[in-house]
Amino acid sequence: MGGHYEYADALPRGALRGRGAGLNPGNRFESVRLHVLGEQLDEAAQQAQQEGQAKLATQVLADHSRTLINRVDHRKSPDIGYDWTINPYRGCEHGCIYCYARPTHEYFGLSCGVDFETRIFAKHDAPELLARELAKPSWRGEPIIMSGVTDPYQPVEARLGITRGCLEIMARCRQPVGLITKNRLVLRDLDLLHELATHRAVSVAVSVTTLDAKLAAKMEPRASSPRDRLAAVARLRAAGVPVRVMMAPIIPGLNDREIPRVLQAAHEAGAMQASYVLLRLPYQLKDLFLEWLKRHVPQRAKHVESLIRDTRNGRLYESAWSVRHRGRGAVAQQIEQVFALFRRRYGLDQKIPPLSSASFRPPAPSNGQLGLFDG
């Protein structure tokens, strides 16, 4: 059954503690789609009768990808400003309800709902794959973004250390990398980031969507608090790491009024630049987000939905590359103008120097012989 459905029939009794999605909608690639909760959530519902809330443990599954560095196809994504990405994880435990990457889990036969944030695919051998690919004669040290899809510092990284393993290779090779995160765990790797910064080979983008801790806890349940993210910005800048703050996404009627305060806080934390992306709701993410609105901000749900449609030509999403990040219409223009005004006011329109490949040196061969650029 496609389309919208009765949320109350699909929810377990009690909220899913620490999770963003309240649904596990059917996979869009399935010939028969039932918008009901899976066995995990059925079991959680039974447990909820005893505890008042359901709890779902995160499952880490091995990802056996044979390659790591992915090329961005600019024919499909001409509005993305980078060419190469690395994703140590598929799925994200942060559980951000608005995450446009959620539908990628459907390629694994899973749901973009609770599955996305509870079944995480980890590339345990990512550092070894990275070293092998950086050693190829064809690689010239082009900048890499980590991650283009899911957060490299999501909670499971504290235990698995895959992102750190990749950064250790990058620091050794002076491989330029741009990191995107909303987790203070990035500070764990400050030693490696400082080393890369000495070669102009690193920058970090920290996502700050709201300063309201209660809203953040509902919208981004397992991400760091807004205060901790801003503290991470300050410490990164103190270590000489270029930092940009991203207000991603801006949700009309929900966090758009916070633009001036978020940019002021970013300025005070030492950020050099700020950018934003308008809420994107591809595929079944629409249903997840509307259910979340109805559950957490019922008094504003219809108004927020109406404003989103105003920015998307009456729909909930437009995928055309020229408008998907910014939207269209009066509401979208007002957001753009307000953001530009306060970005200038707080000096967040600086140009961050481009990542430099000048110091790149390929890793030494596995046989122990020194590479050409090793000294």
Side-chain angles (χ1 to χ4, degrees):
M1 296 182 293
H4 295 279
Y5 46 90
E6 290 299 322
Y7 304 127
D9 293 340
L11 288 170
R13 179 176 176 178
L16 292 172
R17 186 185 305 168
R19 302 298 180 181
L23 300 171
N24 228 26
N27 190 303
R28 73 182 187 276
F29 298 115
E30 296 170 349
S31 56
V32 177
R33 293 162 55 189
L34 297 177
H35 294 286
V36 296
L37 295 172
E39 293 180 0
Q40 275 189 303
L41 299 187
D42 291 336
E43 294 173 3
Q46 295 175 5
Q47 183 180 4
Q49 294 178 2
Q50 301 175 348
E51 299 184 6
Q53 283 189 317
K55 294 187 293 185
L56 291 177
T58 299
Q59 292 181 300
V60 177
L61 308 171
D63 185 318
H64 299 293
S65 298
R66 297 182 179 180
T67 60
L68 187 68
I69 303 176
N70 309 299
R71 175 131 209 179
V72 176
D73 186 348
H74 286 291
R75 293 171 299 178
K76 297 180 180 179
S77 304
D79 52 354
I80 293 179
Y82 46 83
D83 298 313
W84 304 95
T85 67
I86 284 176
N87 292 281
Y89 302 97
R90 301 177 195 254
C92 187
E93 202 177 4
H94 281 154
C96 303
I97 190 57
Y98 52 71
C99 182
Y100 66 85
R102 282 181 175 273
T104 62
H105 240 44
E106 296 182 345
Y107 291 107
F108 301 100
L110 298 172
S111 172
C112 66
V114 178
D115 281 350
F116 177 78
E117 52 193 284
T118 60
R119 298 186 180 186
I120 310 301
F121 292 86
K123 300 179 183 179
H124 297 284
D125 56 352
E128 291 76 16
L129 290 173
L130 178 61
R132 186 174 69 197
E133 292 173 31
L134 294 184
K136 291 181 178 180
S138 59
W139 185 257
R140 294 291 182 266
E142 298 97 322
I144 294 172
I145 297 300
M146 189 161 65
S147 299
V149 182
T150 54
D151 201 309
Y153 286 105
Q154 59 179 287
V156 294
E157 166 62 19
R159 174 166 54 91
L160 300 181
I162 299 174
T163 295
R164 182 170 178 88
C166 290
L167 282 176
E168 287 172 345
I169 300 294
M170 291 176 165
R172 194 178 310 150
C173 298
R174 301 168 184 171
Q175 164 64 45
V177 58
L179 294 156
I180 305 172
T181 187
K182 59 187 64 175
N183 199 308
R184 68 185 299 274
L185 183 59
V186 65
L187 297 176
R188 178 202 62 188
D189 298 334
L190 204 55
D191 56 333
L192 301 174
L193 301 179
H194 175 72
E195 171 63 22
L196 284 163
T198 63
H199 301 286
R200 295 183 293 118
V202 71
S203 65
V204 177
V206 177
S207 174
V208 181
T209 52
T210 177
L211 299 182
D212 183 337
K214 291 183 178 179
L215 176 60
K218 296 174 182 178
M219 194 164 59
E220 309 155 330
R222 297 201 176 191
S224 295
S225 69
R227 177 183 298 178
D228 282 347
R229 292 182 225 179
L230 290 166
V233 171
R235 286 190 60 189
L236 287 164
R237 286 298 298 128
V241 178
V243 183
R244 171 167 57 103
V245 163
M246 298 172 60
M247 198 169 177
I250 289 179
I251 304 170
L254 193 62
N255 68 342
D256 53 336
R257 293 184 179 180
E258 290 193 69
I259 291 173
R261 294 197 302 121
V262 169
L263 295 187
Q264 180 180 4
H267 163 72
E268 292 172 352
M272 300 172 64
Q273 194 181 86
S275 62
Y276 80 93
V277 174
L278 194 68
L279 176 70
R280 296 170 55 187
L281 296 174
Y283 304 113
Q284 298 194 91
L285 184 54
K286 300 174 184 65
D287 287 315
L288 288 178
F289 186 78
L290 292 180
E291 184 279 325
W292 180 90
L293 279 176
K294 188 174 182 180
R295 180 159 40 100
H296 287 290
V297 286
Q299 72 282 4
R300 284 190 284 166
K302 290 184 178 180
H303 179 59
V304 172
E305 179 181 350
S306 175
L307 291 176
I308 293 171
R309 291 184 182 277
D310 282 347
T311 68
R312 299 297 185 186
N313 201 27
R315 298 188 288 273
L316 285 171
Y317 183 53
E318 291 182 281
S319 61
W321 67 265
S322 59
V323 297
R324 61 178 182 167
H325 288 163
R326 289 292 185 267
R328 69 172 86 208
V331 173
Q333 290 175 3
Q334 183 180 29
I335 289 172
E336 183 175 12
Q337 292 167 1
V338 170
F339 197 92
L341 171 64
F342 285 94
R343 180 171 54 191
R344 286 193 303 269
R345 176 173 297 181
Y346 293 116
L348 294 169
D349 52 357
Q350 304 176 53
K351 284 198 172 183
I352 293 180
L355 296 172
S356 173
S357 304
S359 299
F360 172 75
R361 53 185 185 182
S366 59
N367 60 12
Q369 296 178 7
L370 290 177
L372 178 62
F373 301 102
D374 290 312

